[in-house]
Amino acid sequence: MTSRPTDSPRRAVYEILQRVADGAFADVMLDTTLSRSKLEPRDRRLVTELVYGVLRLQGRIDFALTHFCNQPLQRLQPEVLWLLRLGAYQLLELDRVPAHAAVNSTVELARELHLEQAVGFINGVLRSLDRGKAGIPWPAPEKIKLYLQHVCSQPIWLSKEVMRQLPNVDARAFGESLASPPPLTLRVNSLKTDREAFLIALTEAGHQGHPSDFAPEGVTLDRRGEDPLPGDADGWYQVQDEASILIAHLLDAHPGQKILDACAAPGGKTTHLAALTENQAEILALDKYSRRVEMIELGAKRLGCPSVVAKQCDLTEPADFLEPQSFDRILLDAPCSGLGVLRRNPEGRWNKSAVNLKELAVLQRQILENVAPLVRVGGKLLYSVCTFSHGETDVIVDEFLADHPEFELEHLGRQVSQDWADLFTPKGTLRSYPHRHGNMDAFFAARLQRRP
């Protein structure tokens, strides 16, 4: 009987990769597939690792395959190329999978998918790769552009962007971090418990974790046990990268204020603002799509945040239902390229381009122009993005300030702990990098105050 994606881990991986190649999001496809599967926990973890690993290291895998394939990869049938990538990832990156198992399972999957004409080819390429992988001529770190492209698995446009932002040594370290799996970080929900109590409960449940380096509510998991994390149903925590956790702190929100989260879904920063203000602020969370508004509402309910009201709103147009200068604080976590979270959304390497960055910058400036009039005199607006590209960060802020003298840039370091000093640029904006700052994602933030 032919196996199905629900009961064969590698078949599930192949199906997900095919869907991602057609434009689907890897995390969505993983959640959908695994929620319907009958796979054992061990196989579910394998599926997750293979999907993210193949996508994250696709460039490295392709470089290796070119040395053992007698025809250009771009000429291969797409289904055959994805099978080769799946087998090659296991041979190159997974020591715990025996070589014969990696090759044989890929060949059997080809047969299962009725690709009999390619079975011999796939078998030959993968066996050659296994025999010759020690001799692959990987580019030396000093050849930074080729190193980023073929070892760190970055397309050319992304390598150029990284090299524009950072000196070579930093660019290499940053590229290596983007090619590595990200940590699993949680924000402890201070409305329900505290970090010390959560860490104790975590250990008692068979997991291991430690306090994150910067965020006072952050916990990084070192090892995950077989049992569920403690307090999931009770809203003790929110899965959230440490850089993302920092953002709500930087808004400088207080109880009694009126706060707008302009592009709020999925709601992690929204509910963090509710926790920081002890549910004593009036928080309006907006998002363009109704299903994402529902996501915010569900998260607010789970985490115990009745101060959050979520509404659908497309902020590419002025929000006429809101009074001008009516908010004390506005968080604009703008739609962006997501280059800072490529470890978590690795398909972004392959489905974006430099052209997309320019288009997104136009969108970001448009939304910023539409929310800025809502900041009251003396109020503050925090612009944040999970990317590092110059055009989506400093350029947006500098151009906005040039056109709006009624706003001024505040130095973020003056309001938070001195322990965070390394996170801020001389201008006072936040720039976090995984290779510099405790393995957190690459984020940018700038706080603008309407002059009194």
Side-chain angles (χ1 to χ4, degrees):
M1 179 181 294
T2 300
S3 63
R4 303 163 298 168
T6 51
D7 54 32
S8 167
R10 288 173 177 80
R11 174 70 182 273
V13 173
Y14 172 82
E15 298 284 354
I16 292 170
L17 292 174
Q18 286 284 81
R19 293 294 301 277
V20 172
D22 291 336
F25 293 106
D27 57 347
V28 174
M29 290 308 306
L30 262 172
D31 288 344
T32 301
T33 300
L34 295 180
S35 67
R36 298 172 181 170
S37 81
K38 301 175 183 177
L39 295 171
E40 296 295 325
R42 180 179 178 181
D43 285 337
R44 295 165 73 91
R45 290 193 292 270
L46 177 63
V47 169
T48 300
E49 178 168 0
L50 290 177
V51 167
Y52 283 127
V54 170
L55 292 172
R56 190 181 299 119
L57 299 183
Q58 180 180 317
R60 184 190 300 181
I61 294 166
D62 286 359
F63 179 79
L65 286 171
T66 58
H67 292 83
F68 302 96
C69 186
N70 59 10
Q71 56 183 300
L73 299 186
Q74 62 267 26
R75 293 185 183 177
L76 297 179
Q77 186 178 348
E79 293 83 356
V80 172
L81 180 54
W82 281 115
L83 287 173
L84 286 174
R85 287 167 173 163
L86 176 56
Y89 176 79
Q90 296 170 78
L91 292 172
L92 294 168
E93 304 295 333
L94 296 187
D95 292 338
R96 69 179 183 275
V97 177
H100 67 85
V103 175
N104 292 341
S105 63
T106 307
V107 168
E108 287 306 311
L109 182 53
R111 289 196 176 99
E112 185 181 309
L113 296 167
H114 306 294
L115 296 169
E116 287 86 356
Q117 78 285 357
V119 164
F121 174 76
I122 292 171
N123 183 63
V125 171
L126 292 181
R127 290 192 183 281
S128 296
L129 171 61
D130 181 46
R131 290 192 301 269
K133 61 186 178 182
I136 296 172
W138 299 107
E142 294 75 24
K143 297 181 178 180
I144 184 65
K145 185 177 179 181
L146 292 176
Y147 185 82
L148 290 176
Q149 184 180 350
H150 298 312
V151 177
C152 300
S153 189
Q154 294 182 3
I156 293 173
W157 71 268
L158 180 56
S159 298
K160 290 180 178 178
E161 187 66 37
V162 171
M163 292 170 66
R164 273 195 292 266
Q165 291 288 111
L166 297 167
N168 282 0
V169 173
D170 254 4
R172 184 171 68 242
F174 183 35
E176 290 169 349
S177 69
L178 289 184
S180 303
L184 176 57
T185 309
L186 313 174
R187 171 175 61 84
V188 177
N189 181 14
S190 59
L191 294 170
K192 299 291 186 80
T193 186
D194 59 59
R195 183 163 67 177
E196 182 178 355
F198 182 79
L199 283 167
I200 293 171
L202 199 66
T203 301
E204 291 175 346
H207 312 279
Q208 292 180 359
H210 68 272
S212 299
D213 292 342
F214 295 94
E217 313 90 339
V219 168
T220 301
L221 261 65
D222 303 310
R223 184 186 66 81
R224 189 164 184 172
E226 295 295 332
D227 292 334
L229 297 177
D232 180 69
D234 297 321
W236 288 6
Y237 69 89
Q238 171 73 31
V239 176
Q240 195 169 351
D241 182 74
E242 186 175 12
S244 176
I245 299 173
L246 301 180
I247 298 301
H249 285 282
L250 298 176
L251 186 60
D252 189 29
H254 300 279
Q257 291 182 332
K258 188 176 180 182
I259 301 170
L260 173 66
D261 191 347
C263 299
K269 300 178 187 69
T270 314
T271 51
H272 192 191
L273 288 169
L276 290 175
T277 56
E278 300 176 340
N279 271 328
Q280 298 300 310
E282 181 183 341
I283 301 175
L284 175 62
L286 302 180
D287 198 86
K288 181 178 179 179
Y289 300 104
S290 59
R291 60 181 174 81
R292 291 170 65 83
V293 171
E294 293 173 4
M295 190 184 304
I296 298 168
E297 292 173 335
L298 289 172
K301 182 177 180 180
R302 171 180 168 268
L303 296 170
C305 304
S307 59
V308 173
V309 174
K311 291 185 178 180
Q312 185 177 0
C313 178
D314 181 359
L315 284 170
T316 59
E317 301 291 338
D320 294 333
F321 69 98
L322 298 175
E323 290 291 325
Q325 299 189 27
S326 58
F327 288 92
D328 301 287
R329 299 287 187 271
I330 294 180
L331 171 59
L332 173 53
D333 189 48
C336 72
S337 61
L339 300 185
V341 293
L342 286 178
R343 300 180 299 175
R344 304 179 192 280
N345 307 112
E347 68 273 21
R349 301 167 186 260
W350 317 112
N351 62 17
K352 291 184 173 70
S353 68
V355 173
N356 297 132
L357 304 191
K358 294 178 181 178
E359 294 170 346
L360 285 163
V362 172
L363 175 64
Q364 291 152 0
R365 181 63 191 274
Q366 186 178 22
I367 297 175
L368 181 56
E369 291 287 347
N370 288 334
V371 301
L374 303 174
V375 182
R376 66 175 35 137
V377 173
K380 301 178 183 183
L381 184 158
L382 187 76
Y383 173 81
S384 69
V385 281
C386 54
T387 188
F388 54 84
S389 75
H390 185 62
E392 298 177 271
T393 55
D394 294 296
V395 171
I396 296 292
V397 173
D398 291 346
E399 289 182 351
F400 176 83
L401 289 172
D403 293 342
H404 294 274
E406 71 273 21
F407 282 90
E408 62 182 344
L409 180 68
E410 290 193 313
H411 196 297
L412 289 168
R414 295 173 188 150
Q415 173 242 318
V416 296
S417 167
Q418 281 299 110
D419 295 338
W420 294 19
D422 189 47
L423 294 166
F424 303 119
T425 68
K427 292 198 305 184
T429 57
L430 168 80
R431 273 200 180 273
S432 64
Y433 290 102
H435 68 293
R436 291 179 180 172
H437 304 122
N439 208 18
M440 69 173 74
D441 287 336
F443 266 63
F444 171 88
R447 194 171 67 209
L448 313 172
Q449 181 179 40
R450 185 182 286 274
R451 298 178 190 271

